[in-house]
């Protein structure tokens, strides 16, 4: 579930030497599965470990993850990087904002996962986001733009040149295209 580099393990072991015996590290996600998800690492004294926690053994310590955070920490990586600016702990959790879905999950779930894990992080730098409103019977993903994308003159370029190209590549043979909810006439709303 979580990969901790040798350098990060050595760093944690050194920090934990100064803590109460049996102290672990806790890796967690605040607001998991949302665009405001934040990951963190803290000390976890022995009396703070819950029965429902997941425990992972590392070199000289355990990493503890609460049950709610666990699915959002799939493929998470913790590293300790030293460069000309100094040393720092890095935590990458690609599934923190959206729980990873199986390759054979329904199309709507896989499209939503792609939006949360790939598209919205790109739009966030401009204060924007998109939400899937439906997948039509004809195979079009209908998206509602929000935030900084509302009223942006580049929204059509973002939709056709960015989002649609990514989605058609990812879901070749399953999606025919992408439409903006404002250009899509109201019809029967059903997911496939």
């Amino acid at each position: 579930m979580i990969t901790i580099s040798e350098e990060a393990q050595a760093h944690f072991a050194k920090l934990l030497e100064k803590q109460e015996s049996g102290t672990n590290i806790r890796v967690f996600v605040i607001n998991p599965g949302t665009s405001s998800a934040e990951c963190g690492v803290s000390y976890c004294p022995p009396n703070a470990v819950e029965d429902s926690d997941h425990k992972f053994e590392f070199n000289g310590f355990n990493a503890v993850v609460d049950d709610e955070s666990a699915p959002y920490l799939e493929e998470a990586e913790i590293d300790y990087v030293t460069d000309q600016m100094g040393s720092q702990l890095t935590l990458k959790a690609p599934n923190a904002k959206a729980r990873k879905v199986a390759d054979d999950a329904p199309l709507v779930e896989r499209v939503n996962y792609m939006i949360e894990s790939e598209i919205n992080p790109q739009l966030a730098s401009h204060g924007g986001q998109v939400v899937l409103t439906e997948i039509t019977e004809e195979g079009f993903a209908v998206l509602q733009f929000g935030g900084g994308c509302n009223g942006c003159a580049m929204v059509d370029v973002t939709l056709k040149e960015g989002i649609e190209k990514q989605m058609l590549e990812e879901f070749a043979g399953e999606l025919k295209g992408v439409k903006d909810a404002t250009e899509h006439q109201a019809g029967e709303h059903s997911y496939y």
Side-chain angles (χ1 to χ4, degrees):
M1 171 192 280
I2 298 174
T3 304
I4 301 179
S5 71
E6 293 293 326
E7 294 80 6
Q9 287 185 52
H11 178 69
F12 284 132
K14 191 174 176 180
L15 291 173
L16 289 167
E17 285 175 3
K18 300 173 183 151
Q19 300 299 313
E20 173 188 345
S21 178
T23 298
N24 305 295
I25 64 161
R26 180 173 290 284
V27 185
F28 56 90
V29 182
I30 299 170
N31 300 318
T34 69
S35 57
S36 61
E38 295 281 335
C39 299
V41 179
S42 66
Y43 293 119
C44 181
N47 63 351
V49 177
E50 303 287 334
D51 290 340
S52 60
D53 284 339
H54 302 255
K55 296 172 196 72
F56 304 94
E57 287 186 31
F58 289 97
N59 211 357
F61 65 94
N62 288 335
V64 179
V65 177
D66 66 274
D67 202 39
E68 185 183 2
S69 296
Y72 299 95
L73 289 169
E74 287 289 329
E75 301 174 9
E77 297 177 16
I78 300 175
D79 198 3
Y80 188 68
V81 182
T82 303
D83 58 23
Q84 62 270 30
M85 302 295 287
S87 300
Q88 71 174 357
L89 207 54
T90 62
L91 181 107
K92 294 178 186 162
N95 300 305
K97 294 181 188 299
R99 181 192 303 232
K100 187 165 182 167
V101 295
D103 292 339
D104 62 352
L107 180 60
V108 68
E109 289 180 24
R110 291 181 284 128
V111 169
N112 271 321
Y113 175 73
M114 180 185 194
I115 288 170
E116 286 302 323
S117 65
E118 296 177 38
I119 294 169
N120 278 341
Q122 294 168 13
L123 296 176
S125 63
H126 302 282
Q129 66 182 34
V130 294
V131 175
L132 177 68
T133 60
E134 73 171 307
I135 296 179
T136 67
E137 288 182 28
E138 299 83 30
F140 286 89
V142 181
L143 304 177
Q144 179 71 54
F145 283 86
C149 292
N150 267 344
C152 175
M154 297 300 289
V155 76
D156 290 338
V157 173
T158 300
L159 182 71
K160 293 296 179 187
E161 296 300 315
I163 297 171
E164 186 172 64
K165 278 187 177 177
Q166 274 183 272
M167 286 191 162
L168 289 178
E169 187 178 305
E170 178 81 20
F171 305 108
E174 294 183 89
L175 283 181
K176 289 185 182 159
V178 176
K179 292 184 178 184
D180 185 338
T182 58
E183 73 180 63
H184 179 69
Q185 293 183 351
E188 211 175 299
H189 299 298
S190 54
Y191 290 95
Y192 287 91

